[in-house]
Amino acid sequence: MFDQRERRDLEKRMKEQNRLPPGQSATIKFPVLHYGPVPRVDLAQWDFRVFGLVEEERRWTWAEFNELPRTQLVLDIHCVTRWSKFDTVWEGVSVKTLVERGFIRPKPEARYVVQHCEVGYTTNTPLEFVLQDGFILATHFDGQPLTPDHGYPLRGVAGVVGGRRADDKYFWKGGKWLRGLEFRADDQPGFWERNGYHNVADIWKEQRHSWPGF
Ligand SMILES: Nc1nc2c(c(=O)[nH]1)N[C@H]1C(S)=C(S)[C@@H](COP(=O)(O)O)O[C@H]1N2
Ligand SMILES: [Mo]
């Protein structure tokens, strides 16, 4: 059983440090949230594609993906359903690093990125969002490979690193069971964005839903 007192103390501490966005509560657990079934993944068939407005489209097998430069990251994550989890530890591949090291070369016209996941789930952000430190393509959580529920073998993670920034976004902007990144000139609303969630998803402005007054 998780201790209510421990949770409340954490929430108070995070609030004092200005790390608790409006309307959120701290959790010590790690809730699971997604639409549809957990896809079964065969790593022998798995690939990761980088396509659209890039100088060269890419396709990496699971073995190749694991040869890419790796990053560890500590993030606060904020779900639109109002739970926040602090100091979560992720490991995987940083899109920023891939761009800096020439593994991905976005064309100058590329301004948005769509994350493509198993069974057609997508989520969209500006290109700058996936290029900042608060976004990672994660294979590991807390030192262990992702569990199927949390996106095994690969997920996008959208979180907050090192204090508040202008473009901190809710956790749904990280797609679980991620299979590719599409670079685009125009924005393309993803699954939750077409189903009522806010396109921008700024956690500090509480951009939860796109319906006014909801
Ligand atoms: N493929 C996929 N990714 C998804 C979702 C989904 O429905 N499908 N839901 C998003 C939402 S709303 C949240 S809050 C987080 C939840 O991640 P978790 O289950 O690891 O907590 O995943 C995001 N990524
Ligand atoms: Mo969510």
Side-chain angles (χ1 to χ4, degrees):
M1 277 304 293
F2 291 111
D3 185 3
Q4 271 309 306
R5 164 104 183 267
E6 188 190 339
R7 195 203 70 76
R8 276 203 311 273
D9 289 350
L10 169 70
E11 189 166 290
K12 187 161 168 278
R13 234 174 26 250
M14 293 301 111
K15 201 169 182 167
E16 284 162 3
Q17 294 176 19
N18 291 318
R19 287 166 66 185
L20 187 72
Q24 296 293 112
S25 350
T27 184
I28 296 168
K29 304 179 222 179
F30 193 175
V32 170
L33 255 133
H34 54 261
Y35 177 79
V38 174
R40 192 184 306 220
V41 176
D42 175 6
L43 290 183
Q45 303 292 326
W46 188 95
D47 63 6
F48 189 81
R49 290 182 58 218
V50 176
F51 61 102
L53 293 177
V54 286
E55 299 296 346
E56 238 181 304
E57 296 200 338
R58 299 275 187 176
R59 179 186 169 272
W60 291 304
T61 64
W62 177 244
E64 288 163 348
F65 190 87
N66 283 281
E67 295 298 315
L68 294 170
R70 297 185 65 79
T71 302
Q72 275 186 14
L73 195 57
V74 179
L75 292 173
D76 297 344
I77 53 182
H78 305 286
C79 176
V80 69
T81 63
R82 299 182 182 272
W83 55 265
S84 293
K85 189 171 173 65
F86 295 90
D87 295 316
T88 59
V89 181
W90 301 92
E91 191 191 311
V93 173
S94 142
V95 182
K96 181 183 174 189
T97 304
L98 294 185
V99 169
E100 283 172 355
R101 311 256 300 250
F103 291 95
I104 300 177
R105 290 188 293 136
K107 289 194 169 163
E109 314 90 89
R111 292 186 50 220
Y112 297 91
V113 172
V114 174
Q115 298 167 54
H116 287 263
C117 305
E118 303 282 352
V119 299
Y121 181 90
T122 58
T123 186
N124 58 302
T125 66
L127 172 60
E128 308 88 74
F129 180 75
V130 303
L131 295 181
Q132 45 90 39
D133 293 328
F135 184 80
I136 185 172
L137 310 176
T139 57
H140 288 65
F141 169 73
D142 225 1
Q144 302 294 326
L146 297 175
T147 59
D149 277 357
H150 288 298
Y152 174 88
L154 183 73
R155 74 174 299 166
V157 181
V160 179
V161 60
R164 177 176 179 158
R165 319 167 27 118
D167 59 354
D168 292 327
K169 295 189 188 302
Y170 288 111
F171 195 35
W172 92 76
K173 292 289 190 179
K176 303 196 279 191
W177 313 294
L178 185 64
R179 292 291 300 272
L181 297 178
E182 178 189 7
F183 290 72
R184 301 174 58 97
D186 60 325
D187 201 7
Q188 185 188 62
F191 175 81
W192 288 113
E193 292 82 2
R194 287 194 307 276
N195 286 282
Y197 283 9
H198 198 287
N199 196 54
V200 179
D202 184 316
I203 58 176
W204 304 106
K205 294 185 188 154
E206 283 204 81
Q207 293 175 330
R208 298 176 192 273
H209 301 96
S210 48
W211 315 308
F214 184 86

